[in-house]
Amino acid sequence: ALGALVGVVVLLVAWVRRDGLTPILAMTAAADDVAAGRPGVRIPEAAPGTEAHRLGAALNTMLDSQRASEERMQRFVADASHELRTPLTTLRGYSSLHATTAPEPVAEALRRIHAETVRMGRLVDDLVQLADLDGRSVDYAATDLAEIVRDVAADLAVIAPDRTVEVIADATCTAVVDGERVRQALRALTTNALRHTPPEAVITIAVGPNGASGIDLTVQDTGPGIPAAEHARVFDRFAKGARSGGTGLGLAIVAAIARAHGGSCRVVSPLPGGESGTAFTLRLPRAPLPSPLADSAV
């Protein structure tokens, strides 16, 4: 009787574990992936006829609906951005043309219109770039990332000759990436470092291997840092911090460039050891992944 009772208990525990606990643990792991922003997440299917199976199916339906809604929004933003380019270009042309010949009150109004259309044009260009990156518009080629780092540092020395810029790079550091996109990401990060740090802050641009299959590109500064409350949404679109004066799309484009390569971007502030400052790290694979859409995100 005792042996039969133990057998029944063992079977009951195995049944509860298989149809109850294991599916719930799998759903929890999938929910963590969704919260981390990883695309293409699905809830694993449980045994048919169980509550876990019905719950998983309902969650998958919700995820599919959310993904479809996001895709519709991305298409709308892309289409609207492309359509806005032509009228903005026309407005810039007419305002620039007539500002020099119009009477002073009208000329001042035209100059203001021209300045606003230029600002809107930058915003539209950023949105178009994000739409292209969402579509994985990446041109891969063997690229020396150390050379790109040195070029960006040289540009920074011309833009801000009074700033201290340090470079940490080997002679060569080759990876199969879109060199122009990587250069764009580094320029955006260094521009942020210039804009949000005092003149005495040191800016460091570094590149180096991350294991056998990855490359890390880091832009670090010794400025005041980013408040911890802003870390979770620093890469969100139109996210503006307390000291931000831009459109809120610069870091979103950096994150999109990382995702398009199948990589990731992260921020550390304060620096390790408790020192003030901020470090943005762009982590890229040395070669294209088989399916960038299914790989890591920010």
Side-chain angles (χ1 to χ4, degrees), residues 149-259:
V149 165
R150 288 190 286 269
D151 289 346
V152 171
D155 294 341
L156 204 61
V158 173
I159 296 170
D162 57 329
R163 299 297 297 266
T164 302
V165 180
E166 297 179 352
V167 175
I168 301 175
D170 296 333
T172 58
C173 188
T174 304
V176 181
V177 298
D178 187 329
E180 286 305 311
R181 295 290 192 184
V182 173
R183 192 186 303 270
Q184 177 186 1
L186 287 178
R187 283 175 175 164
L189 292 175
T190 53
T191 299
N192 268 7
L194 282 177
R195 184 180 299 160
H196 300 301
T197 59
E200 65 274 10
V202 178
I203 298 173
T204 303
I205 311 174
V207 59
N210 174 33
S213 59
I215 296 288
D216 280 356
L217 296 119
T218 301
V219 176
Q220 179 178 303
D221 64 70
T222 57
I226 299 175
E230 298 177 11
H231 286 192
R233 56 188 301 269
V234 70
F235 295 107
D236 291 349
R237 300 178 185 190
F238 300 106
K240 294 186 179 182
R243 300 184 304 275
S244 177
T247 61
L249 291 175
L251 290 178
I253 291 175
V254 173
I257 290 171
R259 285 196 301 271

Side-chain angles (χ1 to χ4, degrees), residues 63-200:
L63 289 173
D64 291 340
S65 176
Q66 179 188 10
R67 194 172 297 113
S69 176
E70 290 177 351
E71 289 175 355
R72 285 195 299 271
M73 180 61 71
Q74 288 173 356
R75 286 196 298 270
F76 168 75
V77 171
D79 293 342
S81 300
H82 282 288
E83 290 298 325
L84 283 171
R85 272 182 157 179
T86 300
L88 284 173
T89 302
T90 304
L91 281 172
R92 282 200 301 268
Y94 275 111
S95 59
S96 178
L97 176 64
H98 293 288
T100 57
T101 59
E104 187 51 39
V106 178
E108 177 62 22
L110 289 173
R111 282 192 290 269
R112 288 179 178 273
I113 290 172
H114 181 76
E116 288 302 310
T117 54
V118 169
R119 186 180 67 83
M120 290 180 64
R122 291 197 207 99
L123 176 60
V124 168
D125 289 342
D126 287 346
L127 289 172
V128 170
Q129 285 190 49
L130 282 170
D132 290 342
L133 288 167
D134 286 338
R136 301 302 188 271
S137 176
V138 177
D139 296 324
Y140 288 105
T143 306
D144 184 1
L145 296 178
E147 182 180 354
I148 290 180
V149 165
R150 288 190 286 269
D151 289 346
V152 171
D155 294 341
L156 204 61
V158 173
I159 296 170
D162 57 329
R163 299 297 297 266
T164 302
V165 180
E166 297 179 352
V167 175
I168 301 175
D170 296 333
T172 58
C173 188
T174 304
V176 181
V177 298
D178 187 329
E180 286 305 311
R181 295 290 192 184
V182 173
R183 192 186 303 270
Q184 177 186 1
L186 287 178
R187 283 175 175 164
L189 292 175
T190 53
T191 299
N192 268 7
L194 282 177
R195 184 180 299 160
H196 300 301
T197 59
E200 65 274 10

